[in-house]
């Protein structure tokens, strides 16, 4: 039990350390997208606590390997007692890895794809002080619609908004206005 508590703590600390840091690292972006998918309906701490497990079962966040997952790997994930065993979300991760893989040759990689929406620059989002992190933006909605069109699953406007914030593509700028 002690090991699970330590794993939980490690995942939350890692996500907290990564959140909001500008990254162009494909493995980190895939990791953040996995947390975004699993946090839907559960909360970020629950999903982030599973990062050590996700790292193990999702090939150290190598989307090219995950894109090759088939029925045996899917079944193994469903049977893993340390996993969040939601079949729709697990299937979404595999489908998202395949969608990332299909971005080429139009985009160099996943980072190039995500950052192209902001022309490779951080997008500043003015929000009232104390506004919730999952507050949607037109920017996040545009990215979510494009991702859906390209076959990404479980990444709607709210989860994409959180992914963009987590990866530093969007930076929140709090204002005094309500």
């Amino acid at each position: 039990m002690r090991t699970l508590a330590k794993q939980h703590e490690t995942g939350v600390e890692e996500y907290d350390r990564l959140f909001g840091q500008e990254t162009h690292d494909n493995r980190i972006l895939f990791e953040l997208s996995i947390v975004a998918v699993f946090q839907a309906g559960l909360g970020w701490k629950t999903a982030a606590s599973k990062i050590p497990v996700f790292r193990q079962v999702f090939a150290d966040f190598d989307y090219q390997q995950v894109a090759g997952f088939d029925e045996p790997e899917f079944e193994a994930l469903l049977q893993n007692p340390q996993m969040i065993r939601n079949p729709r979300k697990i299937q979404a991760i595999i489908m998202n890895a395949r969608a990332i893989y299909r971005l080429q040759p139009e985009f160099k990689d996943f980072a190039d794809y995500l950052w192209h929406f902001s022309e490779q620059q951080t997008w500043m989002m003015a929000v009232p002080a104390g506004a919730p992190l999952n507050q949607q933006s037109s920017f996040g909605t545009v990215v979510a619609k494009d991702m859906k069109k390209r076959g990404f699953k479980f990444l709607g406007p709210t989860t994409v908004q959180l992914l963009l914030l987590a990866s530093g593509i969007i930076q929140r700028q709090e204002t005094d206005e309500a």
Side-chain angles (χ1 to χ4, degrees):
M1 194 63 147
R2 181 75 181 132
T3 342
L4 287 178
K6 183 64 178 159
Q7 251 185 359
H8 174 88
E9 187 179 305
T10 301
V12 170
E13 287 172 0
E14 183 176 338
Y15 187 75
D16 203 29
R17 181 181 50 78
L18 289 174
F19 193 92
Q21 300 301 311
E22 185 178 313
T23 186
H24 295 263
D25 182 300
N26 287 300
R27 284 183 191 259
I28 293 173
L29 290 168
F30 187 49
E31 172 182 356
L32 295 172
S33 74
I34 290 170
V35 172
V37 166
F38 278 102
Q39 80 181 22
L42 296 174
W44 76 269
K45 280 189 178 182
T46 301
S49 73
K50 296 294 185 177
I51 287 175
V53 176
F54 295 157
R55 180 175 289 110
Q56 180 185 0
V57 300
F58 292 122
D60 196 28
F61 304 118
D62 181 342
Y63 67 83
Q64 292 178 332
Q65 283 188 46
V66 176
F69 282 15
D70 213 348
E71 195 64 28
E73 292 87 355
F74 176 73
E75 289 300 323
L77 289 166
L78 283 176
Q79 299 305 315
N80 187 326
Q82 293 184 313
M83 268 297 288
I84 298 171
R85 295 182 283 184
N86 180 316
R88 290 180 57 227
K89 290 181 179 183
I90 293 170
Q91 191 65 43
I93 299 304
I94 297 167
M95 292 176 79
N96 292 348
R98 292 174 183 162
I100 292 169
Y101 193 75
R102 288 190 305 267
L103 292 171
Q104 296 173 358
E106 185 179 352
F107 298 95
K108 183 176 78 173
D109 54 23
F110 191 34
D112 184 45
Y113 168 70
L114 287 176
W115 282 92
H116 100 275
F117 290 99
S118 63
E119 299 176 356
Q120 308 300 326
Q121 302 293 316
T122 301
W123 191 76
M124 299 307 289
M125 177 180 165
V127 296
L133 280 178
N134 65 354
Q135 180 178 346
Q136 292 181 19
S137 68
S138 57
F139 182 74
T141 302
V142 166
V143 176
K145 282 182 182 177
D146 191 78
M147 290 179 89
K148 182 177 182 175
K149 185 174 70 179
R150 293 175 185 273
F152 286 86
K153 302 294 181 200
F154 254 94
L155 287 169
T158 302
T159 37
V160 168
Q161 181 74 19
L162 291 168
L163 170 61
L164 297 172
L165 284 164
S167 61
I169 296 170
I170 293 178
Q171 291 288 328
R172 290 167 40 108
Q173 194 168 34
E174 289 193 351
T175 64
D176 290 335
E177 297 175 18

